Amino acid sequence: MPEATLVIPLWADLTAVGLGGVQGALFASGFRGERRLDLLGVAIIGIVMGMGGGLIRDLLLNVTPVTLQSNWYLLTATLAALVGMLLAGVFRRMNAVIVGLDAVVIGLFGAFGTGKALTLGLPMVPAIFVGVCSAVGGGILRDMIMGLPVAIMHVGSLYAVAAGVGCLVLAGAHALGAPLVAASIACIVVTAVIRLLAVMFDISLPEQRALYRRKVAVETSAIPIIKP
Amino acid sequence: MPEATLVIPLWADLTAVGLGGVQGALFASGFRGERRLDLLGVAIIGIVMGMGGGLIRDLLLNVTPVTLQSNWYLLTATLAALVGMLLAGVFRRMNAVIVGLDAVVIGLFGAFGTGKALTLGLPMVPAIFVGVCSAVGGGILRDMIMGLPVAIMHVGSLYAVAAGVGCLVLAGAHALGAPLVAASIACIVVTAVIRLLAVMFDISLPEQRALYRRKVAVETSAIPIIKP
Amino acid sequence: MPEATLVIPLWADLTAVGLGGVQGALFASGFRGERRLDLLGVAIIGIVMGMGGGLIRDLLLNVTPVTLQSNWYLLTATLAALVGMLLAGVFRRMNAVIVGLDAVVIGLFGAFGTGKALTLGLPMVPAIFVGVCSAVGGGILRDMIMGLPVAIMHVGSLYAVAAGVGCLVLAGAHALGAPLVAASIACIVVTAVIRLLAVMFDISLPEQRALYRRKVAVETSAIPIIKP
């Protein structure tokens, strides 16, 4: 397999990291628990959302985390988190923009994850799995660190499903011989479109069957910027 | 060290993954929080329970995760989770079977973990540690993702202890020169027997001493299929 | 880069692990939820606090975890946790000693993390990041496993900040050509002093701005030995 297929351009990677950092800060600034987040807490959530996907991808692939090979990733994520925090009010008024950017970010992380996995020789199913983990891993880590129930586990707008279908398109096109760049762009577009349609038309997966009653003291929050 | 000792037969590995996936789905189908799990949530719990142990083992050993080298692991775990969800009612009536299978699964994951660690040259104590992490790691990940207190941390039937004793038997027998397959079978038997005796006779570890009062708002759930 | 710079003396590493284990047991013995921790739970928290930092560091650096290459790490952490549990009452009366030791432990883990990252060739910013993750990673894992909100995320005494400044001093001194041992000692001293001053004078980071109201059912606990 040629090395060249592995290269994710730094600007694309940093764009995803920066957008993730802003999303993290917006989430954190909407958070209100018994104890308050301090500035560091907001920065941590920004870093987790911006870099978590890439870290999880590289851990699963057992390669040295690329986000730690350059100063730019951490600087970008932290700066984006601080900007996101300070301008949270402005961003909130541009809800549509945020939801749109978020949909693109999921697509970017999914494409980077599945693409890297395929170029490392993983079979199709685990390559898609790695892509989905990259796309939603930052959000899962965020929820776990904040002590919230993991948003994507619960009935809601298709988030992981959008990433999954996008990554499936990438892996399928790659298997059929399409160039990786074209397949990645298709992945990003498909993911973003499914996610946006799900938000617009409030589509969700069916609830699981045969629920038994057992109370757990959780009050949840999911993605506040979308359903305030 | 000969390569041959490292080989876990695919059918054995997939059996453990499948049983783990079913267990995960049964757990998830018994869950009832403020927000409901959707189908994806059930599948995620199944994947986490079926593949979490192997992923944690390979991360700790810093080797490429074997569960991502083939399509079969993810397909097996997901399929098992869906079957487990649809047949949750049936499975619940066969409680004894489930508890028995669960005990065998802990033994399998413990044996695979400790065996792989030993063949990679780890000393005895960390090899046992890796085995126990493999055996109980899926359950820990499940509880963390679902926002529940981690079941094995609390007073209950011996779960991690059973895995620990089984892995100790494996490592001890290996140190005394026993072949790895025989030692692994002993590990699985010992783990399962201890676990089943603990469930049957309701044996548990002594509570920690010197508890001070501090309330934390957790309502817990542990392993619902065993103590409904 | 010479191999020699990478060596952390085993006694220093085990000292940090042992102190971490004691801290973990003291934390666990102060914990009182709906379900009680058993002896194993206390041992797990001790292992997590003593070995978590080193494990996270080695995972981020994609190297084989050094804490699993020898029997001593797990034995030290477990023994320290049991001693910590049995003598919790004694330790509690020596609060100043505990806070002081804790400050030194953060410094040790931070110095080991950043030092190892630098010798592996990481740039400055990610090297500092790895150091901070090593310093506070054990506490984050502990909180996640116990289902508590992560202490360092919330308004409180400077914990991660102390580690960050210390690691920055190490990386800066290293960039200016200082020997790694001297830079590491400076890191430990700076971290411990900032942490102790923050505890003594109750200094904290400013709260994040622009908080919106949203209740989440968390009752938190942070570091009970410091603010009982």
Side-chain angles (χ1 to χ4, degrees), chain A residues 62-140:
Chain A
N62 197 35
V63 298
T64 310
V66 74
T67 45
L68 301 180
Q69 301 308 305
S70 144
N71 290 327
W72 290 110
Y73 289 91
L74 278 156
L75 294 177
T76 302
T78 308
L79 196 69
L82 295 180
V83 168
M85 185 188 70
L86 291 173
L87 302 183
V90 179
F91 279 116
R92 259 157 224 288
R93 256 165 271 136
M94 315 188 307
N95 196 9
V97 177
I98 292 295
V99 174
L101 284 179
D102 186 43
V104 174
V105 171
I106 312 170
L108 283 169
F109 277 120
F112 294 168
T114 297
K116 190 166 186 178
L118 288 172
T119 57
L120 285 170
L122 263 67
M124 198 165 158
V125 176
I128 295 169
F129 177 75
V130 170
V132 175
C133 288
S134 302
V136 304
I140 292 180

Side-chain angles (χ1 to χ4, degrees), chain A residues 30 32 34-36 71 221, chain C residues 125 150 155 207 214 218 220:
Chain A
R32 186 80 181 74
E34 290 291 309
R35 299 189 75 209
R36 297 148 315 190
N71 290 327
S221 63
Chain C
V125 177
V150 174
V155 174
E207 195 175 333
R214 246 171 60 250
V218 282
T220 175

Side-chain angles (χ1 to χ4, degrees), chain A residues 28-32 34-42 45 59 62-65 68-69 71 74 144-145 221, chain C residues 59-60 62 122-126 129 144 150 153-155 160 205-208 210-212 214-215 218 220 222:
Chain A
S29 71
F31 180 79
R32 186 80 181 74
E34 290 291 309
R35 299 189 75 209
R36 297 148 315 190
L37 292 178
D38 60 17
L39 289 179
L40 179 70
V42 175
I45 295 297
L59 281 176
N62 197 35
V63 298
T64 310
L68 301 180
Q69 301 308 305
N71 290 327
L74 278 156
M144 288 170 75
I145 286 181
S221 63
Chain C
L59 281 176
L60 289 175
N62 196 35
L122 263 66
M124 199 165 159
V125 177
F129 177 74
M144 288 170 75
V150 174
M153 300 283 304
H154 300 279
V155 174
L205 282 187
E207 195 175 333
Q208 69 157 328
L211 280 168
Y212 295 81
R214 246 171 60 250
K215 290 287 286 181
V218 282
T220 175

